[in-house]
Amino acid sequence: MKKSTLDEKTRYKILDSLMWDYNISVDELHKLAAGQADEAVGMTREMLFLRSLERVPWHNLVPLWYGTENCIRLYTPKVRRGLRNDELRKKFDFIFGLLRGESVRPPKWGSEYCEKLRRTFLSDRRNRA
């Protein structure tokens, strides 16, 4: 599998938009993401990783943190507890479980889940002429 990379301009743009409400330079954030520092101005690597899990798309998340190995290492029980809702926890538990080679529970296919899929994919079907 080809390892995707981000150019520095894109990396800095993502980091800047990710932490717009903190007074931390993008260079400091870059050092956290690159593993060159564990803490910068009160922000830890774990805190930055948690925020990026909740706000950055997966196709940018992995290259932002320099590969899946770093993401796997940073997804700790502490980070998991910090996720804002149970749905995100389940999603990332499944993803990181697969990446770690653990046995994972398959997504539930109960009536509630099937109904959600039906509404998503077939919502406009009844309104067609």
Side-chain angles (χ1 to χ4, degrees), residues 12 18 45 54 104 124:
Y12 276 65
L18 185 63
R45 278 189 94 202
E54 294 181 338
V104 293
D124 193 42

Side-chain angles (χ1 to χ4, degrees), residues 96-109:
F96 286 108
L98 282 176
L99 291 173
R100 288 181 178 136
E102 300 169 355
S103 60
V104 293
R105 295 180 67 193
K108 62 181 180 179
W109 285 98

Side-chain angles (χ1 to χ4, degrees), residues 35-46:
Q36 297 168 352
D38 289 329
E39 188 174 340
V41 195
M43 172 66 63
T44 65
R45 278 189 94 202
E46 286 180 332

